[in-house]
Amino acid sequence: MNWTIHQTIMIQQLKVNSVANSSVLQIGTAGSIRSLSNLYNTGGFVEPAPELGTSEVNPVALVPLPRAT
């Protein structure tokens, strides 16, 4: 059985609270979702980032996390 679907979508405002590496945002109907990952050097960096130092403050701990419910 073949289906042909025509649709028009008008979005006045779209708010996305979170985007992660494996997020999928789908608007409308999709027969299949194919993954795509692109890596861009938008800052024009020419060498790798420095390693995290062993300071007293853990830089990962400075990321604000939502309160557990």
Side-chain angles (χ1 to χ4, degrees):
M1 174 184 289
N2 293 329
W3 291 79
T4 302
I5 299 173
H6 299 278
Q7 63 184 20
T8 301
I9 300 174
M10 295 180 60
I11 300 173
Q12 298 296 327
Q13 181 178 7
L14 176 65
K15 181 177 179 181
V16 178
N17 289 328
S18 175
V19 175
N21 289 345
S22 59
S23 294
V24 173
L25 174 63
Q26 178 179 335
I27 300 172
T29 308
S32 65
I33 298 175
R34 288 177 270 153
S35 64
L36 173 65
S37 177
N38 294 319
L39 179 64
Y40 297 103
N41 183 7
T42 58
F45 298 101
V46 294
E47 57 188 43
E51 294 291 327
L52 290 176
T54 56
S55 64
E56 294 179 19
V57 177
N58 182 355
V60 177
L62 299 177
V63 177
L65 299 175
R67 177 177 279 190
T69 55

